[in-house]
Amino acid sequence: MSPEESIEDPRLQQLVDGIVRLAAGELSARIEPSEQRDAIDAVITGVNLLAEELGYIYSDLEDRVAARTAMLRRTQVELEHMAKTDALTRLANRTLLNERIHEAIQTGPVGEDAPAVLILDLDSFKAVNDTLGHSAGDAVLIEVSRRLRSVVRAGDTVARLGGDEFAVLIVGASAEEIMLIAHRAWEALQESVDIGTETVWTTGSIGVCIRGAGYSAEELVRGADIAMYQAKAQGRNKVQLFHPDMLNAVQERSRITAELRTAADSGQLALLYQPVVELASGRVAGVEALVRWHHPVHGTIMPDSFIGIAEETGLILELGRWVLHEGISQLGRWKRAAPELSDFCLHINLSAAELLRNDLLEDVSGTLAKNDIEPSRLVLEITESVLMSRGTGEEQVLEKLRALGVGLQIDDFGTGYSSISYLRTLPADTVKVDHSLIKNLESDLQQQKFVAAILQLISAAELEAIVEGIETAEQAAQLQAMGCLYGQGYYLGRPGPAAAILERISGSEPRR
Ligand code: C2E
Ligand code: CA
Ligand code: CA
C-alpha cells in the first residue's frame, strides 16, 4: 500500500475518527468494518475488539469504585455512630444528645409539648464499684440503660453522659407525660439488679427541665442538672422538676462556698458539745463535737447547710482540721479542769475525704500528744456509707488509726444499705444507731422489735451501741431495757458550749 493510497482510503479517516471517539471515553463507539478484508479492515476489527475489552475493564472498574465508595460511606457512618455513642451501654453520648437537643429546640414548640431533658444520677454507684468491682459496676450501668430505654418512647433519646450519669431528651410530650416518663424511670430503678450471686439496689436522683421561653440547649441541660442536685440534696432517690427559683439557690451555694473559705480563719466557726450518756447511771461518758458557723450577717448556720458544700468543694479538709484541733484542745482544757474524768471521750465526725487527707495520721497523733491526751479518748465517727465503700487507701488509714489506739465509730447506722453480716468486717468498735430508727419507738411495736433486733446484732458482732436522737424518757427507758448502754439526744442533753459541759460533768445532778 503506497502512502497516497492509504491517505485516500476513506476507511482511514473513519478509523481515525473512531479512535478519537474511543480516546474521548466513548467506549461504545465502534468502527464500521468493510467488505475488503484487508490490512485496514484487520486494524479496524482489532480496534473494535480492544474497545470491547476496554468497555469490560472500565465497567468492572466502575463497579469496584462504587463498592469501595459504599464501603467508605458505611465506615464513615459507623465512625460517626461510634463517636456519638457510649461504648459500654450503646446509648447516645453527650455529643449526640446535644445535637438532638439543638434540633429539638430549633424545630420544637415552646410551651405546650416543649422538649424536656431528664438528668439521672445513680445514688450509690460508687459503693457498688468499690465493693463488687468494676465489672459489676459495668453490669449495673448496662442494666440501668436497658431499663431507661424501656420506659421512654421511640422518638426520645436516652444518653449516658459519663460515669453513672444518664440523660433523656423527651420531645412532643405534654408536661404530664414528661413527668410520667420521669416517674417511670425512677420506678424502673427501684427493682434490684442481680449480678452473679450478689443483689444490688441502685436508686437514682432525677432532675427534669421542661423548656421555657428563651431557653437555650445549654440552659435546658443546666436546669435539669440543678434539679437533679436538688433531688440529691433532698435525700436522693426522687424526681425533682426544675423551677427558675432554684437558680437563686445555686448562687447562694457559691456565695456560701466563698465565705466558708475564710470562716475558720476569721473565728466564725465554733463547736458545741452534745453529751453521750450512760443510760443506767446518767453519767456523761463523753461528748460529740458539732460544728456551728456564726455568720456575721446570717447568724448561726447549722452544719447540714454547709457540710455538704464543704465536702463537694474540698473545704471539708480545712474545716475538719480546725474541728480536730479545737476539739482536742478543749478536751485538754476539760482534763485540766476536772482531772478525775479519766475516761471521758471526745467524738468527732469525720467526712469521707478526710480519711484520705495526707497528714491525717500525723495530725491526729501530733494534736493528741501536744494536748497530753491518750488516743483512746478520741472517737472518730465515720458514716456507714463511707465505711462500706472504702477502698484500699481508706482501709490502710483506718487500720493505722486503730493501731494508734483511736476509737472508730460507725455513724448513722441503719440509714445506708449495709448488711449486718458486714458489721463484723468493719474496722470499728462502736456503732451509733441513727435517730431515724427510733422515731415512734414508744407507739410502734414493729419498730421496737426491729430496734431490739438491731441492738442484738450489734452486740453479736461484739460492738458497742449508742442510740442517738433520744427525745423522751420513755425512749431512754425502752432502749435501756433492750440492753443499750449509751444514748444521746435532746432528752439526755442538747448540744451546748464547752462551759456548760464542764458544769454538767463536774456538777451535782446527773441527768437521765
Ligand atoms: P450527726 O453526726 O448525725 O449528728 C447528730 C445530729 O443530730 C446533730 O445535728 C445533733 O444536734 C442532732 N441531734 C442530737 N440530738 C437530737 C435529738 O434528740 N433529736 C433530733 N431531732 N436531733 C438531735 P447537727 O449538729 O445539726 O449536725 C448535723 C450533722 O452535721 C451531723 O449529723 C454530722 O453529720 C454533721 N456534722 C456536724 N459537725 C460536723 C463536723 O465537725 N465535721 C463533719 N464532717 N460533720 C459534722
Ligand atoms: Ca455523728
Ligand atoms: Ca446521725
Side-chain angles (χ1 to χ4, degrees):
M1 195 187 342
S2 75
E4 302 87 70
E5 258 175 359
S6 54
I7 289 164
E8 276 153 23
D9 193 326
R11 291 175 306 158
L12 280 177
Q13 190 53 49
Q14 281 172 11
L15 190 56
V16 170
D17 289 346
I19 288 173
V20 167
R21 284 169 69 197
L22 286 170
E26 206 183 311
L27 293 186
S28 58
R30 294 292 179 272
I31 305 159
E32 194 68 40
S34 61
E35 306 286 298
Q36 269 115 308
R37 300 277 163 226
D38 58 1
I40 292 181
D41 219 30
V43 172
I44 286 174
T45 308
V47 168
N48 279 342
L49 280 173
L50 263 175
E52 191 82 17
E53 195 58 31
L54 262 177
Y56 288 137
I57 291 172
Y58 186 81
S59 86
D60 187 43
L61 262 178
E62 262 188 340
D63 286 351
R64 277 202 252 169
V65 168
R68 286 280 146 80
T69 310
M71 207 170 85
L72 272 174
R73 201 165 293 141
R74 274 198 307 276
T75 317
Q76 195 188 355
V77 169
E78 256 167 51
L79 275 173
E80 268 173 22
H81 183 71
M82 265 161 61
K84 289 177 185 177
T85 49
D86 169 50
L88 177 69
T89 61
R90 303 256 150 234
L91 293 177
N93 64 11
R94 196 182 281 275
T95 312
L96 183 55
L97 179 79
N98 282 340
E99 263 178 40
R100 298 254 169 96
I101 294 175
H102 277 107
E103 241 168 66
I105 281 182
Q106 267 156 22
T107 57
V110 179
E112 190 74 357
D113 290 0
V117 169
L118 256 66
I119 293 207
L120 180 151
D121 194 278
L122 297 180
D123 290 330
S124 44
F125 183 68
K126 190 178 177 297
V128 174
N129 249 347
D130 290 349
T131 52
L132 301 178
H134 283 270
S135 56
D138 285 355
V140 168
L141 292 173
I142 290 168
E143 176 59 16
V144 167
S145 345
R146 193 192 61 74
R147 291 185 192 179
L148 286 181
R149 253 191 295 231
S150 74
V151 300
V152 302
R153 302 154 321 148
D156 302 333
T157 305
V158 182
R160 178 172 171 229
L161 302 180
D164 58 348
E165 198 173 46
F166 296 85
V168 182
L169 168 68
I170 301 173
V171 289
S174 69
E176 292 86 73
E177 285 169 323
I178 290 165
M179 292 316 281
L180 196 73
I181 294 174
H183 280 101
R184 267 195 258 135
W186 172 85
E187 213 177 346
L189 296 180
Q190 301 302 308
E191 233 171 84
S192 63
V193 183
D194 290 329
I195 297 158
T197 57
E198 305 279 349
T199 301
V200 294
W201 277 267
T202 50
T203 60
S205 300
I206 301 178
V208 184
C209 185
I210 303 177
R211 183 170 183 240
Y215 282 24
S216 67
E218 289 71 28
E219 282 163 338
L220 191 57
V221 174
R222 184 152 175 261
D225 218 33
I226 289 171
M228 187 274 286
Y229 274 107
Q230 185 97 350
K232 290 247 180 216
Q234 287 165 356
R236 311 169 152 205
N237 191 17
K238 64 172 285 184
V239 177
Q240 175 67 56
L241 180 63
F242 172 77
H243 188 275
D245 282 351
M246 289 177 188
L247 284 172
N248 298 334
V250 170
Q251 280 156 3
E252 171 91 359
R253 282 173 80 80
S254 41
R255 185 184 60 73
I256 291 181
T257 309
E259 293 179 349
L260 191 55
R261 234 172 258 285
T262 58
D265 289 340
S266 46
Q268 294 173 13
L269 296 183
L271 290 183
L272 290 188
Y273 301 90
Q274 183 177 33
V276 173
V277 176
E278 191 179 42
L279 291 174
S281 63
R283 178 180 66 92
V284 177
V287 290
E288 175 178 7
L290 295 163
V291 68
R292 297 290 180 266
W293 178 9
H294 297 300
H295 191 281
V297 178
H298 302 287
T300 302
I301 306 179
M302 300 300 277
D304 282 340
S305 309
F306 63 87
I307 293 286
I309 298 176
E311 286 176 340
E312 274 167 33
T313 54
L315 285 175
I316 192 70
L317 298 184
E318 281 315 304
L319 195 147
R321 194 188 301 273
W322 181 86
V323 170
L324 189 75
H325 293 174
E326 176 59 25
I328 294 177
S329 329
Q330 182 55 54
L331 190 56
R333 290 193 285 274
W334 279 324
K335 188 184 166 188
R336 288 190 292 277
E340 70 277 14
L341 296 169
S342 57
D343 55 356
F344 185 77
C345 286
L346 172 74
H347 293 236
I348 282 185
N349 292 289
L350 215 61
S351 294
E354 292 182 79
L355 274 183
L356 295 180
R357 169 151 76 89
N358 288 333
D359 60 343
L360 180 73
L361 286 155
E362 295 82 62
D363 199 12
V364 168
S365 59
T367 312
L368 287 170
K370 196 175 120 197
N371 290 277
D372 193 24
I373 305 280
E374 290 150 41
S376 62
R377 294 180 60 184
L378 177 68
V379 178
L380 298 174
E381 299 193 1
I382 305 167
T383 60
E384 73 177 328
S385 57
V386 172
L387 290 172
M388 289 285 298
S389 63
R390 65 193 191 278
T392 45
E394 287 93 342
E395 187 86 41
Q396 282 170 5
V397 175
L398 291 169
E399 290 305 334
K400 286 184 183 152
L401 284 168
R402 273 205 115 175
L404 210 65
V406 168
L408 297 178
Q409 181 171 76
I410 303 169
D411 200 2
D412 292 349
F413 185 74
T415 55
Y417 68 109
S418 75
S419 59
I420 299 286
S421 68
Y422 223 86
L423 264 185
R424 288 175 188 280
T425 69
L426 290 176
D429 22 58
T430 53
V431 178
K432 189 178 280 181
V433 177
D434 194 65
H435 62 83
S436 59
L437 268 68
I438 64 156
K439 252 191 216 150
N440 311 324
L441 190 69
E442 299 100 316
S443 53
D444 189 339
L445 195 70
Q446 247 357 80
Q447 196 67 15
Q448 287 169 17
K449 286 186 184 159
F450 180 64
V451 172
I454 294 250
L455 289 171
Q456 273 169 16
L457 284 157
I458 290 173
S459 94
E462 287 167 9
L463 295 163
E464 202 153 83
I466 298 181
V467 177
E468 69 173 5
I470 300 178
E471 294 185 349
T472 66
E474 202 177 342
Q475 286 175 342
Q478 277 177 327
L479 289 163
Q480 202 190 330
M482 289 175 193
C484 176
L485 297 182
Y486 296 96
Q488 209 181 342
Y490 293 165
Y491 169 68
L492 300 162
R494 287 190 178 252
I501 293 296
L502 182 63
E503 220 170 276
R504 169 113 185 245
I505 51 182
S506 54
S508 41
E509 14 75 273
R511 167 111 190 260
R512 47 174 297 201

